[in-house]
């Protein structure tokens, strides 16, 4: 059916913090030699294969964030071209059909995505650094050097351990042996996520138990307990230790860029996600935050991660979840199956009891839905979450349903074609052509719709057979598909005309 715009959840996460990362429009790129190497399907393997270290940006020409990154990326490439040895920055148009297979191979789910290729492409890691030129340069200089930096002085230690980031330090009587080798392997594997150092003198480090005997690994972090030690050098145990100790009891989402990596880690967690959104400057914020943190401590390791978000920084989340500012302070929980549970206007004394009710299964799911339209007499009918059942599943009709996003260019191109299809069926009450804004309405997880890009089009026959449409986006092709898949015995009823006066069915909260 043609290209779709990727809408993976990870893209949403970065959209939440994009306003902080890209605060200003990037300046026009100066006319000069291009230092970013342009790749495509014909030279990708050759360029990556002959370098020990190369960074590749997977982009799309129409992507706004890619356009903002371009001059910063080029400036960084210019600076790094004189590094010893030179650090190569490259780019590939992953939206080009000829390059699509390379994007698929490297699991590109959104633009821009940057990846670091090491050892001729034998090792591939996500780029997780800044997106402005100076930050890119500093990050890549560290990434191109040893995975762990030797700490020889207190100055070295203070430069590495700033109190604002997570740093993992190995302490060894000598830099050899199985423990040191396992530590080095850990540093190589996780170097894009954390900073690593190693030393033979524990007293050079800024805090912790100086009487502890090595070898050991000491993890420094800017939250909860600030220093944690481990002495088990089994590689799997070390990875689990890092994974568990680098998640804050309560992740803070605000405009501080130092918190953004922890926000990303929060949303990538397999746990259910509890989010408290409130005005941080409100006089009741401290009491509510204290109760919320107490509950988070009580639920450590029990399958729920906790986040507190400042209202000012959380507008993207409000749009995504369909929340309203008059509901603040609120708690919303999202589970991995897409269900959401909402507690609006929460007070400190409500937190513990409501979380317990959720865990006991005594809270009904919350559903995001646009209002039912006052009139629905256009050829293409408008479906919202509260009318999905009635219009699509219970109407006894053959329904072609488009899932779209208002900002999607391909959706805008399809819209007039669907209008023409709908006009063709205006005299046939057994066929409905409809559309649903998937950014403003929840799609039930049990409805069998797999919407991973826009536009996505499904056809549900009157007898209940569900088929995804992936043909040409022409009036003729869509009508041919409908005629092939429709049930001729569908109920002939009057055209759908919902009004806002009809009471929508809503789950109790």
């Amino acid at each position: 059916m043609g290209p779709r715009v990727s809408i993976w959840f990870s893209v949403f996460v970065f959209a939440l913090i994009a306003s902080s990362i890209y605060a200003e429009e990037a300046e026009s790129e100066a006319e000069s030699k291009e230092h970013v190497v342009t790749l495509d399907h014909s030279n990708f393997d050759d360029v990556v294969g002959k370098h020990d270290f190369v960074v590749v940006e997977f982009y799309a020409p129409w992507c706004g964030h890619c356009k903002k990154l371009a001059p910063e990326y080029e400036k960084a490439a210019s600076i790094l071209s004189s590094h010893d040895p030179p650090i190569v920055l490259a780019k590939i148009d992953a939206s080009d059909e000829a390059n699509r297979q390379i994007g698929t191979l490297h699991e590109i789910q959104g633009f821009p995505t940057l990846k670091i290729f090491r050892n001729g492409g034998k090792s591939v890691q996500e780029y997780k650094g800044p997106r402005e030129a100076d930050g890119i340069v500093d990050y890549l200089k560290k990434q191109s050097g040893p995975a762990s930096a030797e700490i020889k002085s207190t100055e070295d230690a203070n430069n590495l351990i700033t109190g604002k980031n997570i740093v993992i330090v190995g302490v060894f009587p000598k830099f050899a042996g199985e423990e040191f080798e396992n530590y080095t392997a850990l540093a190589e594997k996780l170097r894009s996520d954390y900073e690593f150092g190693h030393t033979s003198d524990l007293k050079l480090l800024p805090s912790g138990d100086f009487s502890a005997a090595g070898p050991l690994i000491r993890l420094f972090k800017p939250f909860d307990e600030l220093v944690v030690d481990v002495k088990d050098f089994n590689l799997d145990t070390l990875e689990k230790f890092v994974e568990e100790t680098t998640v804050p009891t309560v992740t803070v989402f605000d405009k501080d860029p130092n918190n953004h990596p922890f926000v990303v880690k929060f949303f990538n967690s397999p746990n259910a996600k509890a989010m408290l959104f409130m005005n941080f400057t409100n006089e009741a914020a401290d009491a509510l935050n204290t109760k919320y943190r107490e509950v988070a401590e009580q639920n450590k390791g029990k399958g729920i991660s906790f986040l507190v978000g400042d209202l000012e920084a959380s507008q993207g989340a409000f749009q995504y979840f369909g929340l309203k500012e008059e509901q603040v302070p609120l708690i919303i929980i999202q589970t991995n199956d897409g269900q959401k549970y909402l507690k609006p206007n929460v007070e400190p004394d409500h937190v513990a009891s409501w979380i317990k009710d959720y865990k006991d299964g005594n809270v009904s799911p919350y559903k995001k839905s646009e209002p039912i339209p006052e009139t629905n007499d256009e050829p293409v009918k408008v479906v919202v979450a509260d009318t999905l059942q009635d219009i699509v599943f219970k109407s006894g009709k053959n329904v072609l349903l488009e899932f779209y996003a208002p900002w999607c260019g391909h959706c805008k191109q399809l819209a007039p074609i669907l209008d023409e299809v709908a006009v063709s069926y205006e005299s046939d009450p057994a066929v409905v052509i409809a559309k649903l804004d998937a950014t403003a309405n929840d799609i039930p997880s049990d409805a069998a719709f797999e919407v991973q890009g826009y536009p996505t089009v499904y056809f549900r026959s009157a007898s209940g057979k569900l088929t995804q449409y992936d043909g040409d986006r022409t009036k003729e092709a869509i009508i041919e598909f409908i005629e092939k898949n429709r049930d001729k015995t569908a109920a002939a009823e009057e055209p759908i005309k919902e009004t806002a006066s009809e009471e929508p069915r809503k789950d109790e909260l």
Side-chain angles (χ1 to χ4, degrees):
M1 186 177 172
R4 294 192 185 98
V5 180
S6 174
I7 59 161
W8 293 93
F9 187 64
S10 58
V11 178
F12 152 65
V13 177
F14 287 105
L16 291 182
I17 63 178
S19 60
S20 298
I21 297 176
Y22 301 115
E24 299 178 358
E25 289 290 334
E27 297 178 358
S28 299
E29 193 171 350
E31 292 185 5
S32 61
K33 174 187 174 183
E34 285 194 0
H35 292 88
V36 175
V37 178
T38 300
L39 305 178
D40 59 26
H41 66 284
S42 67
N43 66 352
F44 184 91
D45 289 339
D46 288 341
V47 172
V48 170
K50 70 181 183 182
H51 289 95
D52 289 331
F53 186 91
V54 59
V55 183
V56 178
E57 176 201 4
F58 294 83
Y59 76 98
W62 43 260
C63 165
H65 292 309
C66 301
K67 293 175 182 177
K68 290 177 180 178
L69 174 63
E72 299 294 326
Y73 195 61
E74 176 62 33
K75 182 179 177 182
S78 174
I79 296 170
L80 292 170
S81 65
S82 59
H83 185 265
D84 186 19
I87 296 176
V88 178
L89 271 60
K91 63 182 180 181
I92 182 169
D93 179 359
S95 69
D96 188 326
E97 190 64 39
N99 303 327
R100 193 71 58 83
Q101 187 174 355
I102 296 173
T104 301
L105 176 65
H106 294 289
E107 300 179 344
I108 304 305
Q109 299 176 350
F111 303 121
T113 294
L114 284 77
K115 297 209 172 190
I116 298 172
F117 292 78
R118 302 178 190 272
N119 303 320
K122 294 177 183 176
S123 173
V124 185
Q125 293 174 322
E126 294 283 343
Y127 172 93
K128 297 181 179 179
R131 301 206 175 186
E132 42 80 25
D134 291 342
I136 295 171
V137 170
D138 291 343
Y139 181 83
L140 291 180
K141 282 182 178 179
K142 290 180 180 178
Q143 288 293 311
S144 64
S148 178
E150 184 178 356
I151 298 172
K152 300 179 181 179
S153 65
T154 55
E155 183 180 5
D156 289 344
N158 291 334
N159 287 337
L160 182 65
I161 306 164
T162 65
K164 295 182 179 180
N165 55 347
I166 292 174
V167 181
I168 302 167
V169 179
V171 182
F172 305 92
K174 60 179 181 178
F175 302 145
E178 183 180 357
E179 289 95 344
F180 184 72
E181 289 176 1
N182 283 358
Y183 167 76
T184 302
L186 177 77
E188 285 288 351
K189 186 170 185 179
L190 301 181
R191 62 181 299 166
S192 64
D193 296 299
Y194 311 105
E195 294 192 70
F196 287 83
H198 58 275
T199 184
S200 58
D201 188 352
L202 190 65
K203 291 183 175 61
L204 295 178
L205 304 183
S207 60
D209 179 6
F210 298 134
S211 65
L216 62 84
I217 290 178
R218 179 160 291 178
L219 187 146
F220 297 86
K221 55 183 178 176
F223 52 82
D224 299 341
E225 70 274 45
L226 301 179
V227 178
V228 189
D229 290 350
V230 65
K231 292 187 176 183
D232 188 336
F233 280 84
N234 175 276
L235 191 54
D236 291 338
T237 302
L238 287 177
E239 283 192 57
K240 184 177 181 181
F241 163 77
V242 172
E243 178 184 347
E244 292 178 348
T245 55
T246 54
V247 178
T249 301
V250 177
T251 299
V252 177
F253 176 47
D254 55 15
K255 291 191 175 182
D256 184 350
N258 292 314
N259 289 328
H260 292 164
F262 306 120
V263 174
V264 174
K265 196 175 182 71
F266 170 85
F267 282 106
N268 285 337
S269 165
N271 292 338
K273 298 164 183 65
M275 294 159 274
L276 166 63
F277 293 111
M278 63 179 179
N279 187 338
F280 280 10
T281 61
N282 188 284
E283 60 183 16
D286 287 345
L288 183 57
N289 194 30
T290 298
K291 288 292 186 181
Y292 187 69
R293 182 169 288 275
E294 288 176 3
V295 173
E297 291 278 2
Q298 295 164 5
N299 284 277
K300 263 189 175 182
K302 296 182 180 179
I304 307 178
S305 297
F306 291 80
L307 173 144
V308 57
D310 180 35
L311 176 61
E312 185 180 359
S314 306
Q315 295 305 307
F318 270 60
Q319 181 179 0
Y320 179 81
F321 290 115
L323 304 172
K324 299 178 176 62
E325 290 194 14
E326 55 264 31
Q327 296 172 311
V328 173
L330 63 85
I331 299 175
I332 186 166
I333 295 178
Q334 183 175 42
T335 58
N336 287 333
D337 62 1
Q339 294 279 28
K340 303 178 188 71
Y341 302 84
L342 176 67
K343 175 63 176 176
N345 307 118
V346 65
E347 297 179 10
D349 292 342
H350 297 162
V351 177
S353 59
W354 188 79
I355 295 291
K356 183 180 185 303
D357 286 343
Y358 157 75
K359 292 172 64 178
D360 292 343
N362 296 326
V363 178
S364 298
Y366 155 78
K367 181 169 58 178
K368 176 177 71 173
S369 179
E370 290 182 294
I372 296 176
E374 293 184 6
T375 59
N376 204 3
D377 51 9
E378 294 297 321
V380 177
K381 306 305 175 188
V382 174
V383 176
V384 299
D386 284 331
T387 60
L388 183 65
Q389 285 290 330
D390 291 338
I391 296 179
V392 178
F393 292 99
K394 296 181 179 179
S395 66
K397 299 185 179 186
N398 302 285
V399 183
L400 185 84
L401 178 62
E402 177 204 14
F403 296 91
Y404 75 96
W407 44 259
C408 166
H410 296 302
C411 301
K412 293 175 182 178
Q413 293 174 359
L414 180 60
I417 298 170
L418 287 182
D419 283 339
E420 292 180 10
V421 174
V423 169
S424 299
Y425 282 102
E426 278 190 315
S427 60
D428 187 342
V431 176
V432 175
I433 311 300
K435 62 183 180 181
L436 180 146
D437 180 354
T439 69
N441 297 275
D442 280 339
I443 303 167
S445 58
D446 58 355
F449 296 119
E450 293 186 11
V451 181
Q452 298 179 346
Y454 300 133
T456 293
V457 179
Y458 274 91
F459 182 79
R460 189 179 189 276
S461 70
S463 60
K465 181 182 178 182
L466 191 66
T467 309
Q468 185 171 353
Y469 179 71
D470 205 22
D472 293 336
R473 293 176 186 168
T474 64
K475 172 186 173 183
E476 293 75 19
I478 295 172
I479 289 177
E480 181 181 354
F481 173 83
I482 292 173
E483 291 303 308
K484 179 181 178 181
N485 291 278
R486 67 177 291 182
D487 290 327
K488 303 294 184 180
T489 57
E493 300 177 2
E494 289 298 316
I496 300 164
K497 292 185 180 181
E498 294 83 5
T499 66
S501 61
E502 295 178 76
E503 184 66 22
R505 293 178 293 108
K506 295 186 179 180
D507 295 315
E508 292 296 327
L509 297 178

